[in-house]
């Protein structure tokens, strides 16, 4: 990378001034098998993209490129910088695990809740699921600042995953539309959607219109 950066410096010195190279470990296949062209298990970026697209088509009959790119980006960004990355295609497209599509689906679910609810019936009587999600949402700014300071996108990825899990518990236990606390719960969902969308955008991941 020093050679690459030196080459770029010859024709775009301003770009070098704006760039910081962060070293990763090796990308490995499931089981932490090292990729090697000699062994024939070396994958190009275009190969990985196609494998993810094929997996999405097979598992969910989806050909949405936003989901495919989200799966790949998150699979890399959730790993701590400097260590090796285990690339598991099946895990990367899962809608239920620590994956980009899971976070995207969570955001889409929040959108659907807002479409079906109204801004009324507000109350200050909150249950544990509402309180726990609010507490998690309140951590966003501090987590974002820490991730930026440490140049550690995995910290943001971990936070988003944990928050999506908290939102899932809220969703299962706190109906919004037509509830006695509809307005307050709707506000919580609005805040969640803003945070999950903003966090994913920082990671370069777009939220699809539907999934």
């Amino acid at each position: 990378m020093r050679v690459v950066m030196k080459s770029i410096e010859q024709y775009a010195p301003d770009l070098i001034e704006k760039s910081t190279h962060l070293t990763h470990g090796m990308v490995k296949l499931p089981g932490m098998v090292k990729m090697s062209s000699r062994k024939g298990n070396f994958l190009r970026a275009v190969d990985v993209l196609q494998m993810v697209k094929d997996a999405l088509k097979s598992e969910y009959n989806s050909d949405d490129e936003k989901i495919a790119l989200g799966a790949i980006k998150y699979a890399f960004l959730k790993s701590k910088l400097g260590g090796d990355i285990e690339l598991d295609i099946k895990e990367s497209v899962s809608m239920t695990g620590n994956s980009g599509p899971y976070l995207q689906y969570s955001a889409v679910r929040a959108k659907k809740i807002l479409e079906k609810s109204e801004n009324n019936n507000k109350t200050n009587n909150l249950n544990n699921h509402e309180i726990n999600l609010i507490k998690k949402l309140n951590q966003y700014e501090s987590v974002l600042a820490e991730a930026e300071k440490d140049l550690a996108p995995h910290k943001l990825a971990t936070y988003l995953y944990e928050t999506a899990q908290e939102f899932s518990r809220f969703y299962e236990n706190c109906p919004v539309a037509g509830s006695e606390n509809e307005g307050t719960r709707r506000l919580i969902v609005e805040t969640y959607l803003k945070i999950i969308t903003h966090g994913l955008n920082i990671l370069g991941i777009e939220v699809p219109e539907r999934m």
Side-chain angles (χ1 to χ4, degrees):
M1 282 305 301
R2 285 196 297 268
V3 174
V4 172
M5 299 293 272
K6 195 65 178 178
S7 300
I8 297 174
E9 184 180 2
Q10 306 309 307
Y11 64 88
D14 56 327
L15 181 59
I16 294 300
E17 293 176 3
K18 300 175 183 177
S19 302
T20 301
H21 174 60
L22 303 175
T23 303
H24 247 307
M26 300 292 291
V27 176
K28 297 183 177 181
L29 298 171
M32 297 305 282
V33 177
K34 183 178 179 180
M35 290 188 187
S36 168
S37 55
R38 189 180 67 236
K39 294 180 180 179
N41 64 349
F42 183 85
L43 297 176
R44 302 170 300 166
V46 67
D47 297 326
V48 173
L49 178 58
Q50 190 58 54
M51 289 170 69
V52 168
K53 287 182 176 180
D54 291 344
L56 281 170
K57 189 68 174 178
S58 173
E59 292 289 329
Y60 307 105
N61 195 30
S62 171
D63 55 5
D64 192 327
E65 187 151 321
K66 288 182 180 179
I67 302 176
L69 292 175
I72 295 171
K73 290 178 180 180
Y74 187 83
F76 283 88
L77 293 171
K78 73 178 182 180
S79 301
K80 185 177 180 180
L81 287 175
D84 291 341
I85 298 174
E86 181 176 6
L87 181 61
D88 187 319
I89 299 297
K90 186 174 181 179
E91 181 182 287
S92 72
V93 302
S94 172
M95 297 286 185
T96 58
N98 186 9
S99 70
Y102 171 74
L103 298 181
Q104 291 171 312
Y105 179 70
S106 182
V108 171
R109 174 181 282 177
K111 286 183 181 181
K112 290 182 179 178
I113 292 175
L114 296 178
E115 290 173 359
K116 298 177 180 179
S117 61
E118 298 180 4
N119 192 20
N120 53 29
N121 300 334
K122 292 185 179 179
T123 175
N124 292 324
N125 296 321
L126 304 177
N127 61 35
N128 288 336
H129 298 292
E130 293 165 328
I131 292 172
N132 290 339
L133 180 55
I134 291 171
K135 286 181 177 178
K136 197 67 180 177
L137 295 173
N138 284 336
Q139 297 172 10
Y140 181 59
E141 289 190 7
S142 61
V143 170
L144 192 58
E146 182 180 354
E148 180 182 12
K149 177 177 67 71
D150 296 341
L151 300 177
H154 75 278
K155 292 186 176 182
L156 175 58
T158 298
Y159 167 81
L160 293 177
Y161 174 58
E162 292 175 351
T163 306
Q165 288 183 305
E166 200 64 64
F167 175 73
S168 180
R169 287 186 280 271
F170 166 88
Y171 174 82
E172 292 170 0
N173 294 277
C174 303
V176 178
S179 70
E180 295 181 355
N181 199 11
E182 182 174 1
T184 302
R185 289 178 178 175
R186 178 184 169 87
L187 180 59
I188 294 173
V189 175
E190 285 178 346
T191 304
Y192 170 74
L193 180 58
K194 288 179 182 177
I195 286 176
I196 195 76
T197 301
H198 188 263
L200 286 173
N201 283 342
I202 288 177
L203 297 180
I205 298 172
E206 296 182 71
V207 175
E209 289 301 316
R210 60 185 63 190
M211 291 179 71

